[in-house]
Amino acid sequence: MIFSSRTTLKTVCSAVAVLLLVAACDSATISPDLPTQPVTIPELPTQPSTLPEQPTTVIALPTSTPPPVGRTPLQQGFGAQKGFWQVYFTAPTGSRDSKTYVGGIDGQLADAINATTRTLDIAAFEFNNVVLTQAILDAHARGVTVRMVVDDVHGIQDKETTIGQFVAAGIPVVDDGRPALMHNKFMILDGLSVWTGAWNYTINGTYRNNNNALALRSRSAVQAYQAEFNKMFELHVFGTAKTPTAKPLANFTQDSVPIQILFAPEDRIVSALAVTLSSAQKSIQFLAFSFTLDDVAGVMQQKANQGVIVQGIFETTGSETRSSELRPLLCSGLEMKQDGNPFVLHHKVMIIDGKTVITGSFNFSAGARDENDENVVIITDPDLALQYQEEFARRWAEAKVPTRITCT
């Protein structure tokens, strides 16, 4: 459905079930995707009757290599930049007092929006952040062409959304109008840079949840995201209705940095994850809001059996369900923890050998693989990976070893 200044948002009939924020309880079905390179997925070992003793391995953070990475001072958050990329992490304090919700990473994106002069394309699962809302309205008022694609239930129909303000201002908004999720969170600014990551453009996403945002000033990255945006906004094609392009994987280098950009469900994201994980020689670290994919966990187990250190942090909610990979990974002796945030650990991040980062909107779940509109960036840059390792270390320090899981 297209919304504009000549249309009115309608209340959706109660028959439309409100979907969960993310498919944390997706069935852990084995993906039909096969890696483009052969990857043997082993059987997970028989689980012992008691939890194995947790290893005490600590992976030392590498020192950043020249050119130096610049730090971005934030009141509530962490930021860094080098060359063509910028990266930001939220720093939730656990506060429920909205008066304390200032100085976050929303200010960095608002500054970027305020600098736009021509175009701003937005794909947003949710939207209610007032700082970003005002920046977008201001951009529209000064003549920037703004377009939006949103999820229907969590975007248009959400009771706290500010999307209605965009519609009232005359900004065209297209929603996906389907049960599955338009789960992307990205913006394309002036056709020059793209912001993506796990960060929903909301108050919770900015000040309560652990999130990351990655900005890429790259023509190739912009082209990949622009093509995906146009499928949804211009062609009104979502989810499984999208067909793979002749060359579905956007593989390129920017300033000698290898980058892959993929979109679900048309690209073989699970295959790409398996191939990337299978390249690990020393370490795999991950932060996961939802992790229910047996085949991805199987590759991690295979690498652990080969001596690779595997460490993971799960969002606590949903992590003890039958479909979650926490139990099998923990019970096979790997270092697994549950997050310590009283709200939500919302990352969808993997770090391989302190060199390669996987990030984006893609939860490691069947819903993300098979139905939702999602995006993933796989980027190999030790300086960038160091920033994600530092975030992993911050979250690891406050996380806890599961105490309610038994291995049978």
Side-chain angles (χ1 to χ4, degrees):
M1 182 180 297
I2 305 175
F3 296 92
S4 69
S5 59
R6 295 185 293 275
T7 61
T8 304
L9 295 177
K10 295 182 180 179
T11 303
V12 175
C13 61
S14 59
V16 178
V18 177
L19 302 176
L20 293 175
L21 177 62
V22 179
C25 297
D26 285 326
S27 298
T29 53
I30 295 178
S31 168
D33 292 338
L34 294 176
T36 54
Q37 299 176 11
V39 177
T40 302
I41 309 300
E43 293 287 338
L44 291 179
T46 302
Q47 298 168 356
S49 59
T50 58
L51 287 175
E53 183 177 348
Q54 283 288 302
T56 57
T57 303
V58 176
I59 298 176
L61 296 179
T63 56
S64 183
T65 56
V69 174
R71 300 288 181 169
T72 303
L74 295 172
Q75 185 174 341
Q76 287 195 52
F78 302 92
Q81 66 281 331
K82 189 193 85 171
F84 68 92
W85 58 256
Q86 300 166 279
V87 66
Y88 300 98
F89 302 95
T90 60
T93 64
S95 172
R96 296 179 181 273
D97 182 0
S98 61
K99 295 185 181 67
T100 67
Y101 295 168
V102 294
I105 69 174
D106 50 351
Q108 302 299 311
L109 179 52
D111 288 346
I113 294 170
N114 291 337
T116 58
T117 59
R118 297 181 293 107
T119 60
L120 177 61
D121 286 340
I122 304 165
F125 177 59
E126 298 177 304
F127 213 112
N128 65 36
N129 184 291
V130 293
V131 171
L132 298 178
T133 298
Q134 191 59 55
I136 291 168
L137 291 172
D138 290 346
H140 174 69
R142 67 175 179 269
V144 174
T145 299
V146 182
R147 307 186 299 176
M148 290 189 72
V149 171
V150 301
D151 186 72
D152 53 356
V153 174
H154 298 280
I156 291 292
Q157 301 163 26
D158 182 75
K159 64 181 181 180
E160 297 180 349
T161 188
T162 55
I163 293 174
Q165 296 181 40
F166 303 140
V167 175
I171 294 172
V173 177
V174 173
D175 78 309
D176 65 333
R178 65 197 186 99
L181 308 180
M182 199 304 295
H183 195 240
N184 287 301
K185 315 96 169 39
F186 67 79
M187 295 192 190
I188 307 168
L189 294 83
D190 276 340
L192 298 174
S193 64
V194 58
W195 285 60
T196 187
W199 176 36
N200 285 313
Y201 308 125
T202 62
I203 297 300
N204 280 346
T206 308
Y207 291 102
R208 291 186 171 187
N209 301 342
N210 298 114
N211 273 309
N212 70 96
L214 177 63
L216 302 173
R217 190 174 181 88
S218 162
R219 178 177 297 180
S220 296
V222 166
Q223 289 174 344
Y225 278 93
Q226 193 67 65
E228 183 71 5
F229 181 87
N230 291 346
K231 289 180 186 179
M232 298 182 289
F233 184 88
E234 296 178 357
L235 303 180
H236 302 178
V237 176
F238 295 87
T240 55
K242 293 185 296 186
T243 56
T245 57
K247 189 178 181 181
L249 303 184
N251 293 288
F252 59 95
T253 59
Q254 180 68 47
D255 298 353
S256 301
V257 172
I259 302 173
Q260 291 184 53
I261 296 174
L262 305 96
F263 300 94
E266 64 264 43
D267 290 340
R268 295 166 61 87
I269 289 181
V270 172
S271 298
L273 297 184
V275 169
T276 304
L277 290 169
S278 69
S279 70
Q281 299 298 311
K282 297 179 180 179
S283 65
I284 296 172
Q285 298 165 304
F286 67 84
L287 303 110
F289 175 59
S290 175
F291 186 178
T292 62
L293 292 173
D294 288 349
D295 38 8
V296 174
V299 176
M300 291 182 178
Q301 183 63 69
Q302 176 188 10
K303 299 308 295 184
N305 293 341
Q306 296 170 0
V308 173
I309 297 170
V310 179
Q311 299 173 308
I313 306 174
F314 286 73
E315 158 58 31
T316 301
T317 303
S319 65
E320 297 177 10
T321 61
R322 291 184 62 184
S323 59
S324 174
E325 299 299 335
L326 173 59
R327 184 187 306 272
L329 290 175
L330 179 70
C331 291
S332 63
L334 304 186
E335 294 183 81
M336 298 292 127
K337 288 188 177 184
Q338 294 170 312
D339 82 294
N341 187 341
F343 296 105
V344 173
L345 180 129
H346 196 245
H347 290 302
K348 307 93 170 56
V349 167
M350 295 181 181
I351 312 158
I352 295 89
D353 287 342
K355 297 178 181 180
T356 298
V357 172
I358 299 170
T359 188
S361 69
F362 185 87
N363 285 306
F364 311 122
S365 69
R369 179 194 64 204
D370 299 333
E371 298 178 337
N372 299 345
D373 292 291
E374 309 275 7
N375 72 94
V376 166
V377 178
I378 304 175
I379 179 169
T380 300
D381 183 338
D383 284 325
L384 179 62
L386 175 61
Q387 312 312 311
Y388 281 90
Q389 283 192 299
E390 290 178 349
E391 171 66 2
F392 181 89
R394 290 188 288 263
R395 304 288 73 84
W396 188 261
E398 66 185 18
K400 52 193 180 295
V401 176
T403 58
R404 297 179 297 185
I405 290 180
T406 57
C407 300
T408 57

